[in-house]
Amino acid sequence: MMWVEEIETLPRSGLESIQLRRLQALVHRVYAQVRPYRAKMDAAGVKPDDIRSLADLRKLPYTTKDDLRDNYPFGLFATPMEDVIRVHASSGTTGKSTVVGYTQPDIELWAQVMARCLTMAGVTKGDMVHNAYGYGLFTGGLGAHYGIEALGATVIPVSGGNSRRQVTIMRDFGSTVLLSTPSYALNLADAMADAGVTSGELKLRVGIHGAEPWSENMREEVERKLGIRAVDIYGLSEIIGPGVAMECIHSDRGMHILEDNFLPEVVDPETLEPLPYGEVGELVFTTLTKEAFPLVRYRTKDISRLFLEPCACGRTLIRMEKVTGRTDDMLIIRGVNVFPSQVEHVLMGIDGVEPHYQIEVTRDGNLDVMSVLVEVSENIFSDEIKVLEKLTRRIQVEIKDMLGVTCKVKLVEPRSIQRSEGKAQRVTDRRKL
């Protein structure tokens, strides 16, 4: 186990004392060593010595992904490049890649926070951990790998892809823990079915799934098909990678944030004003302990809220609700905000519908049109036309009732929607906005 009890069970006052000390040191360091931060702070009229309490955090300017791209590749690094031993980068699908760097102490920190997260999920030194997160420039695979090794468990570094072989490895090696995106966990469940392997033939007991929003209904689907307990993990490359927050085995209301390292806020995405605990808004993080690539008030675009209520596990760390979507994957359909996770929630509550779908948005004249392609089970697809028509109408009505938008629904045969081996791409927006 890696439960840092002296930190994770501190009273709020003790934890805030650590946070303030680390925040003050961080602000002095980035002001002195990172020119873009110094320029932004000067423009905002704030100096490092102005940060006298945690409430003063709101005086500091936000950092956005545009700041990272504008200073591509290494302009926000706070250490000389000779001290940077690792770089990772985003895919760059929406512009320039965002590049992050790590010193040796950063790598050690990453391993520690990830090991602490694994401990929350009940992973121990005796586990055989099947790591199906992608390795390479993506932070998921290597970040999880470090944490597994730091915990002393056995890691199987399979990465993504070749799902039939992965099923064989899980069965033959006796994997007890699965790490993957939730969509890839369902992909593995399909591969198991194809291979005639049942969950009873595996030793899996827990799955740790993240890197994309997923609904409670999808959690139930993963648990049912794989015969495991599925828990949520949260992280993002800019902050450190996986290891920022984690559900514990006792928590039914969100993930514990390792806030001795990552200081969280929730803000109104329109006004950027901080919101009180319990209110939904955009997550913002300040990294308190990273060396090479510290970030001050980084806007994640993730939608969540924070809770202070005690947890049965004994940890006093603040908790964040499962991410319900992102401000930048939010669709606006005829004035209505729509998150793919809301559509997923509807679909997963309907019998005969598979957990694979695709949302397509087009424009007919001046009107937006949302279409949802939905996979159905084999027995439903082979049923008579009137049964399919009834199911189509039901999906349309339930989406309309929950989201307030009318959509087209097309039922498609099993396995016809492309499977994901990483983050699921749920939306195709064909509008020219």
Side-chain angles (χ1 to χ4, degrees), residues 345-362:
H345 181 80
V346 171
L347 297 178
M348 294 301 93
I350 298 176
D351 290 337
V353 172
E354 294 294 308
H356 305 287
Y357 64 96
Q358 190 74 32
I359 300 171
E360 181 176 278
V361 185
T362 55

Side-chain angles (χ1 to χ4, degrees), residues 314-329:
R315 290 178 177 87
T316 55
L317 298 171
I318 201 170
R319 280 179 285 171
M320 58 175 277
E321 189 175 56
K322 177 188 280 289
V323 172
T324 56
R326 290 175 55 82
T327 59
D328 56 359
D329 75 2

Side-chain angles (χ1 to χ4, degrees), residues 7-32:
I7 296 291
E8 296 183 22
T9 61
L10 271 177
R12 176 64 28 191
S13 58
L15 192 53
E16 290 179 350
S17 177
I18 293 172
Q19 291 174 330
L20 177 58
R21 184 172 69 251
R22 291 178 173 178
L23 175 64
Q24 289 170 328
L26 166 73
V27 173
H28 276 87
R29 188 158 63 89
V30 297
Y31 188 84

Side-chain angles (χ1 to χ4, degrees), residues 69-347:
R69 294 189 176 118
D70 290 345
N71 292 283
Y72 172 90
F74 310 128
L76 289 180
F77 283 21
T79 56
M81 285 305 297
E82 56 262 33
D83 293 335
V84 176
I85 66 165
R86 172 75 58 77
V87 292
H88 284 274
S90 71
S91 62
T93 55
T94 56
K96 283 185 179 179
S97 295
T98 55
V99 182
V100 298
Y102 302 79
T103 63
Q104 183 61 49
D106 287 335
I107 293 293
E108 293 168 3
L109 169 68
W110 197 5
Q112 182 190 62
V113 295
M114 189 63 207
R116 287 168 64 181
C117 285
L118 292 168
T119 296
M120 292 183 194
V123 183
T124 68
K125 185 175 181 179
D127 276 305
M128 180 75 70
V129 185
H130 188 97
N131 185 15
Y133 283 118
Y135 284 66
L137 285 176
F138 172 61
T139 55
L142 284 168
H145 187 112
Y146 298 145
I148 298 163
E149 291 187 337
L151 192 61
T154 303
V155 59
I156 308 171
V158 291
S159 192
N162 205 343
S163 300
R164 289 286 291 269
R165 181 168 181 262
Q166 294 214 28
V167 171
T168 300
I169 288 172
M170 287 192 295
R171 182 187 61 195
D172 294 351
F173 290 16
S175 304
T176 55
V177 180
L178 169 64
L179 270 66
S180 73
T181 62
S183 54
Y184 191 60
L186 290 172
N187 196 357
L188 289 173
D190 287 344
M192 287 169 56
D194 289 343
V197 176
T198 67
S199 60
E201 296 176 66
L202 305 181
K203 294 183 179 179
L204 286 180
R205 73 171 196 281
V206 64
I208 298 172
H209 308 297
E212 61 190 20
W214 53 309
S215 65
E216 288 300 319
N217 285 331
M218 190 171 187
R219 187 205 300 265
E220 293 172 4
E221 192 80 3
V222 170
E223 291 181 335
R224 181 179 63 82
K225 289 192 170 184
L226 291 177
I228 59 175
R229 173 167 183 157
V231 295
D232 205 355
I233 187 170
Y234 177 81
L236 61 166
S237 298
E238 297 90 334
I239 300 304
I240 200 165
V244 176
M246 181 76 197
E247 284 182 333
C248 71
I249 57 175
H250 299 288
S251 177
D252 60 355
R253 197 181 188 190
M255 295 167 275
H256 294 283
I257 297 173
L258 299 185
E259 54 176 325
D260 50 314
N261 296 289
F262 314 111
L263 182 59
E265 302 172 79
V266 167
V267 304
D268 184 309
E270 298 297 328
T271 67
L272 300 185
E273 287 297 313
L275 296 173
Y277 295 129
E279 290 198 18
V280 175
E282 180 182 343
L283 273 172
V284 172
F285 279 102
T286 297
T287 63
L288 298 176
T289 50
K290 282 174 62 183
E291 290 187 344
F293 189 68
L295 287 177
V296 177
R297 303 195 82 192
Y298 181 70
R299 293 184 59 189
T300 68
K301 302 291 186 178
D302 287 329
I303 299 299
S304 183
R305 52 180 171 169
L306 301 176
F307 301 99
L308 279 177
E309 288 84 356
C311 180
C313 73
R315 290 178 177 87
T316 55
L317 298 171
I318 201 170
R319 280 179 285 171
M320 58 175 277
E321 189 175 56
K322 177 188 280 289
V323 172
T324 56
R326 290 175 55 82
T327 59
D328 56 359
D329 75 2
M330 179 180 71
L331 296 167
I332 302 178
I333 308 297
R334 302 188 187 186
V336 178
N337 296 342
V338 176
F339 286 107
S341 57
Q342 294 173 308
V343 175
E344 177 182 290
H345 181 80
V346 171
L347 297 178

